[in-house]
Amino acid sequence: MLAIIGGDVARFAPFSELFRRALAEFGHSARPIGVHAPGHVAATDEQAQEEFLPAFQQLIAGVARERGFRTPTRESLMQDVGPGGALHVGSPETVARKITATLKTLDATRFNLKYGITGMPHDTLMTNIELYGTKVAPLVREMMAD
């Protein structure tokens, strides 16, 4: 599993290649590569961002203080929400397109959405789970088949 919590997803592509080369070098058959990344699904992109970003920013601010790096701004988080970024936040269609792009960029076949950021209401999380299972996953399967 490639755990991606920030920055450009493409910077992790060399790890996929390294994994595949190491398997071949040591005589092992190909193994699946999975991606673990944070995100949130809601009815619209705007709703998903408003529900997710404040809670995620607060979480990462605590980690930043603890580990000595700069607290992310809303603007920096929005870069990660955008194309190529590590956050999979938006409507079902937006998240499905982003997951598909991530899988293709990293030559991966599995994706695990890290949802459930502390501070998000239970009903919001339940809606996220429902949309992920009923809308996002089928769209990703369809997009990956093309």
Side-chain angles (χ1 to χ4, degrees):
M1 292 296 285
L2 296 170
I4 304 172
I5 63 168
D8 187 347
V9 168
R11 68 189 171 117
F12 289 87
F15 295 113
S16 294
E17 177 58 29
L18 178 62
F19 178 67
R20 293 199 191 293
R21 278 195 329 238
L23 286 172
E25 183 177 324
F26 291 104
H28 297 284
S29 60
R31 301 277 196 279
I33 294 175
V35 178
H36 178 79
H40 180 66
V41 187
T44 67
D45 291 346
E46 295 77 18
Q47 180 184 354
Q49 293 164 13
E50 291 307 313
E51 291 173 349
F52 178 83
L53 291 176
F56 189 72
Q57 186 174 22
Q58 185 175 356
L59 172 72
I60 297 300
V63 173
R65 283 190 301 277
E66 182 180 278
R67 298 184 186 171
F69 61 87
R70 188 172 51 203
T71 300
T73 64
R74 181 168 177 91
E75 292 75 26
S76 68
L77 291 174
M78 286 302 293
Q79 285 183 315
D80 276 342
V81 168
L87 299 178
H88 295 69
V89 176
S91 69
E93 295 78 16
T94 296
V95 173
R97 282 193 305 273
K98 189 149 186 189
I99 290 171
T100 300
T102 296
L103 291 171
K104 289 179 178 181
T105 297
L106 299 177
D107 194 24
T109 57
R110 298 173 183 190
F111 186 88
N112 179 24
L113 183 73
K114 168 57 179 121
Y115 64 91
I117 302 301
T118 302
M120 294 181 75
H122 179 73
D123 290 345
T124 301
L125 297 175
M126 295 306 291
T127 299
N128 172 75
I129 293 167
E130 179 181 355
L131 290 171
Y132 187 73
T134 63
K135 305 281 186 198
V136 175
L139 283 169
V140 170
R141 286 186 201 102
E142 183 180 305
M143 291 174 187
M144 291 299 291
D146 291 339

